[in-house]
Amino acid sequence: MSHKLDQLLDELKKDLSGVTQKEKVLDIKSKYLGKKGPIADIMSGLKNASLEEKKEIGSKVNIVKDQIQDLITHKLSEIESSEINETLKTSQIDITYRDYVKQTDTMHAGFHPLSAIKREIEDIFVSMGFEVLDGPHIEEEFYNFDALNIPPSHPARDMQDTFWFHDKDSTEEKKRLLRTHTSCVQVRGMLKRKPPFRFIVPGKVFRAEKIDASHEAVFHQVEGMLVDKNISVANLIYFMKVALREIFKKDVEVRLRPGFFPFVEPGFELDVKCLICGGKGCSVCKQSGWLELLPCGMIHPNVLKAGKIDPEIWNGFAFGMGLDRLVMMRFGIDDIRNIHGADLRFINQFKSY
Ligand code: FA5
């Protein structure tokens, strides 16, 4: 049997040599591995064999089957590479030639709705004098919690279900996690600047949360921070209202509720009247008619101190928009999972943005 199988491999190698078309390779594949091929023949011949024989021959046949498959795959990739090399030699694409994009409808490129809104928000805030900062996704406990007035035993840590890293480098003083909010860039940003300043931080955040129509485990926020002299809640509300009007291209109904975040005092929850149901109640706003979108408040003096800024001279406000929810409101998307689903039928609806 071993001899027969070796012969089979030799024949296959002969058959494959000199073949330059994928179709031909696929024909050869079905000749050897197809239902009427030699491998299937051997297997069906085992019907009446003893259990021992079945085991022994079966395992040999499986090894040869894998070898045949490997030879076929190798040949196919060889042909594919030579086809690519041939194309590269003979054709040149002018990527600056715009008519390529017009040829078919599906060839139009566009921004993902999240990227489109993120870019719009960046433009809006840059036009109001804000810088755009970035920060690491893998963050130190210090920046994500301690520096924001949330020491280890603080109950506010339970508000955000955290993905911790248990890596061997992290000591008790320097534990790492996937950042649960963009607020961790507040102190990083403060330590690198002298007031007055203002910046936003758009980016991905991570929480071990149960996923539903308005909650994801990986979602996006836009943090904002302004530090200057004599800043008041009125300034905060003004900036938030202007930003929301620009984002939604119309005045939207908002309400301000007291909100608790250890890094701001006073803290607020700014809700937007649900634009999916017009305030009647739906699965996105959990039948309340309002969607929690933009927590904010006046920066706590302890946070300014962590950023080496004197709270006796400077003060300011901070906010943290939920970017995915903003996209949902702006485009009337009734399930956050669609935004992250990578379904082209969904994404293509936003091609013009
Ligand atoms: C925070 O993350 C605070 N860091 C925000 C903040 C910044 C407050 C500065 C004060 C000053 P919160 O956990 O509420 O807060 O999240 C902020 C926003 O992110 C929410 O209003 C919501 O729009 C969005 N969000 C929260 N959890 C999720 C989730 N699981 N899926 C999608 N969006 C979410």
Side-chain angles (χ1 to χ4, degrees):
M1 179 55 68
S2 287
H3 179 64
K4 200 172 165 190
L5 289 169
D6 287 345
Q7 244 180 354
L8 212 61
L9 280 174
D10 287 342
E11 276 169 34
L12 171 71
K13 283 177 197 161
K14 255 188 235 151
D15 279 355
L16 285 175
S17 76
V19 175
T20 53
Q21 287 169 321
K22 279 190 205 161
E23 295 73 24
K24 187 83 182 78
V25 178
L26 294 175
D27 285 346
I28 295 172
K29 179 182 173 183
S30 68
K31 176 179 157 191
Y32 284 83
L33 295 180
K35 274 187 197 151
K36 292 184 183 150
I39 294 286
D41 241 18
I42 296 171
M43 291 308 265
S44 66
L46 286 179
K47 253 187 237 153
N48 301 322
S50 68
L51 195 62
E52 273 308 298
E53 275 176 327
K54 272 185 189 163
K55 260 193 202 164
E56 195 194 324
I57 300 173
S59 85
K60 277 185 191 156
V61 171
N62 280 336
I63 293 171
V64 170
K65 224 165 127 182
D66 287 347
Q67 288 172 329
I68 294 177
Q69 187 58 59
D70 285 350
L71 286 166
I72 301 278
T73 312
H74 181 71
K75 186 71 187 176
L76 284 172
S77 68
E78 226 176 64
I79 296 177
E80 209 160 286
S81 323
S82 81
E83 279 174 0
I84 292 171
N85 286 338
E86 206 47 44
T87 313
L88 288 175
K89 258 191 254 160
T90 54
S91 68
Q92 285 182 340
I93 298 169
D94 178 359
I95 54 166
T96 61
Y97 181 46
R98 289 189 65 88
D99 274 8
Y100 279 118
V101 179
K102 287 187 207 142
Q103 280 172 9
T104 69
D105 195 35
T106 48
M107 287 176 76
H108 277 270
F111 283 106
H112 187 282
L114 262 171
S115 308
I117 297 296
K118 177 176 149 273
R119 286 161 64 98
E120 271 188 39
I121 292 174
E122 285 173 4
D123 281 350
I124 293 164
F125 279 96
V126 166
S127 77
M128 296 195 283
F130 284 71
E131 289 174 77
V132 181
L133 305 191
D134 203 359
H137 289 169
I138 297 175
E139 187 52 284
E140 287 168 28
E141 179 184 28
F142 172 76
Y143 292 108
N144 199 82
F145 290 126
D146 304 61
L148 294 174
N149 204 26
I150 320 177
S153 54
H154 200 290
R157 287 206 178 191
D158 298 338
M159 286 159 70
Q160 303 177 352
D161 289 326
T162 309
F163 291 110
W164 291 95
F165 284 95
H166 298 289
D167 52 326
K168 54 179 180 338
D169 293 342
S170 60
T171 58
E172 267 310 300
E173 302 87 60
K174 209 175 176 182
K175 280 204 278 182
R176 274 186 278 261
L177 46 82
L178 282 176
R179 68 180 183 190
T180 56
H181 52 178
T182 41
S183 301
C184 51
V185 188
Q186 284 190 11
V187 174
R188 286 185 177 277
M190 280 191 280
L191 289 171
K192 289 209 176 112
R193 334 192 122 57
K194 295 245 170 297
F197 56 76
R198 45 185 88 175
F199 58 76
I200 59 163
V201 188
K204 229 173 229 171
V205 298
F206 310 82
R207 291 187 197 172
E209 287 211 3
K210 198 164 156 258
I211 295 168
D212 61 24
S214 55
H215 290 83
E216 267 286 1
V218 180
F219 57 101
H220 301 77
Q221 293 184 336
V222 181
E223 191 75 13
M225 189 171 215
L226 181 147
V227 174
D228 208 320
K229 285 181 180 160
N230 304 317
I231 300 298
S232 68
V233 174
N235 297 124
L236 164 65
I237 295 172
Y238 171 79
F239 271 97
M240 295 303 95
K241 278 194 136 176
V242 171
L244 289 172
R245 192 180 64 219
E246 292 295 317
I247 293 166
F248 289 111
K249 318 279 180 222
K250 62 178 179 189
D251 280 318
V252 285
E253 223 177 299
V254 297
R255 74 176 185 191
L256 210 57
R257 295 179 282 126
F260 172 68
F261 303 93
F263 33 98
V264 285
E265 181 56 40
F268 306 103
E269 286 283 6
L270 194 146
D271 301 336
V272 175
K273 182 169 261 185
C274 182
L275 297 174
I276 304 286
C277 61
K280 289 197 198 93
C282 65
S283 61
V284 175
C285 61
K286 301 227 159 52
Q287 314 306 329
S288 71
W290 294 90
L291 198 70
E292 188 187 298
L293 194 68
L294 213 172
C296 51
M298 305 304 290
I299 305 164
H300 195 287
N302 287 350
V303 178
L304 289 170
K305 279 187 213 157
K308 307 268 180 271
I309 290 172
D310 185 352
E312 298 292 330
I313 306 173
W314 305 97
N315 75 335
F317 63 73
F319 58 87
M321 291 183 198
L323 187 56
D324 312 67
R325 293 201 188 157
L326 225 143
V327 170
M328 292 169 80
M329 293 291 106
R330 166 81 181 271
F331 295 117
I333 298 166
D334 63 4
D335 197 316
I336 195 168
R337 288 165 286 200
N338 286 327
I339 300 181
H340 298 260
D343 184 339
L344 286 180
R345 289 167 306 175
F346 169 79
I347 294 168
N348 280 340
Q349 297 173 66
F350 306 97
K351 269 195 297 204
S352 53
Y353 288 94

